[in-house]
Amino acid sequence: MSRKLWPALVASAVLAGGVAACGSSDDNSSSGASGDLAGAGSSAQQAAQEAWTAKFEDQNSDATISYDPIGSGGGRDQFIAGGKTAFAGSDSPFDTDELPKATDRCTKDGGGQLIQIPNYISPIAIVYNLEGVDNLQLSPDVTAKIFKGEITSWDDPAIKADNPGANLPSTDITPVHRSDESGTTANFTDYLHEAAPSVWTDDPDSSWPLQGGEAGAQTSGMIQSVNAGDGTIGYADASQAQDLGVAKVKVGSTYVAPSADGAAADFDQSQQDPELTKAPNVFAYKVQRTPTDPSSYPVLLVSYLMGCTKYSDQSTTDLVKAYFNYIVSDEGQQVAAENAGSAPIPPGIKKEDQPAIDAIGG
C-alpha cells in the first residue's frame, strides 16, 4: 500500500499539538494512567523509548514504564515467553515461525489477540572510524564486498572509484557486525541482498550470516567496537552514531547521507508483506531498497510495537493501551523525531495503527 500523501503532510504532522496518553488522539489532557509496565527489544528504539517513557511518566505520575534494549530478537523471544514483558519493540516483524507462538501467548494471557504496529522509522547509518577520512562514499556492491570480507584495505581501487580525489590510507578494514539477534542486522542484510544481489547472496537474516570480523552486542556494543580501532566499519541506528564517520550511500548516480526525510521518502514506496499480515491488527512491511531518486535513503529500518489486546489483569491492558496511544500520537512521534532523529509515521500508517490500539481492552 503506497502512501503518496505522506511527504506533503510530514511537516504538519511533526508540528501538530500533543496527544494524551490514552483516549482520542485529539484529547490533550492527561489520562491518569497508572501501574507498572515492562517492555523489551530493539536497541535502535532505545533513544525514542527513553524519551517516550520520560514524557509519558511526566503526564502520568502513577505510571512506571521500563524498557530493556536487549535487541529485537531478545524482545520478541521475551514477549513470546510471556511473564513480565508485556510488550516488545522490534526492528523486524514476527516471522512465519514466530507468529503462531506470539498469537498463542496473547491467547493464554487474558484471551486476547496479537497486535503488531509500525511505530518508528529511522535511517541506519553505515558508521566508520578511519583517521583522516571525513567524507566517505560507498556504492551497494562495494559496501557488500567490504562486509563480506572481499575488500580488505581502505585504499582498494573499488573504494577509490567511489571516492575520487580522496586520500584513502592503506589501513586494513575491520568490519563489525552485531553479535546478537538484531532487527538492525535484518534490515541491513536486506539492503545488501536487494541492492547488491550479485555480491551479497545470503538471504536477509537477523543473525549475522558470515564468519569473521568483529562483533558487538546491541547498538551500544556495535558503536563501542567501531570506536575502538582505526579502520573499523559497522552499521547502527543513525540516532546513535555519536562522533563516528557516517558514509553516504549511492542512490542512482548520487551519494546520499542518512536522514529522517530520506527514510520517510523511501518508506513511502514500501508495501505490506502479504505473508506476515494475514491476521487482523498485525502489520509488516517490505522496505524499498533500490530507489533511484536521491531524495530516498534506502538503508532504513521500520520498527514495530508488539502487544496483546487483553492481558490477565485489567491494569496491564489499560496501561499498554495508554502507552501505545502516546507513542503513535503526534506528540509521541514528535518527541521521537527530536530525541532520536526518526521520521514520524505517516498519516496512512497511523490510520492503520489506531484501530489496532483501539482494540486493546475491547
Side-chain angles (χ1 to χ4, degrees):
M1 170 182 151
S2 181
R3 291 159 297 282
K4 298 303 180 186
L5 293 178
W6 181 23
L9 297 175
V10 164
S12 60
V14 172
L15 296 174
V19 178
C22 187
S24 166
S25 60
D26 294 326
D27 181 2
N28 198 32
S29 61
S30 173
S31 71
S34 62
D36 297 333
L37 185 65
S42 163
S43 56
Q45 277 196 42
Q46 182 175 1
Q49 286 285 352
E50 288 173 351
W52 287 326
T53 296
K55 292 290 187 179
F56 184 84
E57 291 178 350
D58 281 348
Q59 297 178 11
N60 302 274
S61 58
D62 292 329
T64 301
I65 313 292
S66 62
Y67 181 80
D68 186 1
I70 58 173
S72 296
R76 295 195 307 275
D77 288 345
Q78 284 198 16
F79 178 81
I80 289 170
K84 293 183 178 180
T85 303
F87 74 94
S90 176
D91 308 331
S92 294
F94 285 120
D95 63 27
T96 52
D97 292 331
E98 294 169 324
L99 274 170
K101 299 173 186 176
T103 300
D104 188 53
R105 178 260 159 98
C106 289
T107 301
K108 290 179 177 178
D109 189 358
Q113 296 178 333
L114 175 68
I115 68 170
Q116 175 178 271
I117 56 173
N119 70 303
Y120 180 79
I121 300 165
S122 182
I124 297 171
I126 299 174
V127 293
Y128 67 94
N129 185 9
L130 185 60
E131 187 176 354
V133 179
D134 297 324
N135 297 294
L136 181 67
Q137 301 181 154
L138 295 173
S139 61
D141 280 358
V142 169
T143 304
K145 288 178 180 178
I146 287 172
F147 280 93
K148 201 170 181 179
E150 295 179 0
I151 293 178
T152 59
S153 175
W154 281 108
D155 63 352
D156 187 280
I159 302 179
K160 287 183 175 180
D162 279 341
N163 297 270
N167 184 19
L168 295 167
S170 59
T171 308
D172 289 341
I173 298 173
T174 303
V176 182
H177 60 268
R178 288 278 292 271
S179 61
D180 56 318
E181 189 177 354
S182 159
T184 310
T185 296
N187 281 277
F188 185 60
T189 56
D190 185 51
Y191 164 72
L192 296 176
H193 180 75
E194 294 294 327
S198 64
V199 179
W200 197 270
T201 54
D202 292 278
D203 289 333
D205 203 317
S206 57
S207 296
W208 190 252
L210 306 177
Q211 300 296 318
E214 293 188 6
Q218 288 87 53
T219 303
S220 58
M222 163 67 73
I223 296 299
Q224 206 170 41
S225 295
V226 177
N227 262 316
D230 188 34
T232 50
I233 185 169
Y235 54 92
D237 188 272
S239 67
Q240 299 182 58
Q242 298 181 9
D243 295 327
L244 290 168
V246 174
K248 294 179 180 179
V249 303
K250 194 171 187 179
V251 177
S253 59
T254 305
Y255 292 91
V256 179
S259 69
D261 287 345
D266 191 85
F267 184 61
D268 190 52
Q269 304 170 57
S270 301
Q271 306 288 324
Q272 282 194 29
D273 187 333
E275 290 300 311
L276 301 178
T277 55
K278 295 179 179 179
N281 303 322
V282 174
F283 299 97
Y285 285 84
K286 293 179 69 67
V287 176
Q288 166 63 267
R289 301 297 187 188
T290 56
T292 57
D293 186 338
S295 66
S296 294
Y297 181 78
V299 196
L300 72 146
L301 58 85
V302 179
S303 206
Y304 300 84
L305 282 175
M306 288 96 161
C308 301
T309 57
K310 289 183 181 179
Y311 295 83
S312 56
D313 62 284
Q314 189 62 40
S315 61
T316 300
T317 303
D318 293 343
L319 193 48
V320 167
K321 185 171 188 173
Y323 190 51
F324 281 21
N325 260 319
Y326 179 75
I327 287 173
V328 305
S329 71
D330 291 341
E331 179 184 338
Q333 290 295 297
Q334 182 178 357
V335 164
E338 291 172 351
N339 288 273
S342 58
I345 57 174
I349 293 297
K350 186 174 179 180
K351 287 181 180 179
E352 294 174 349
D353 285 358
Q354 196 60 57
I357 298 173
D358 291 344
I360 299 174

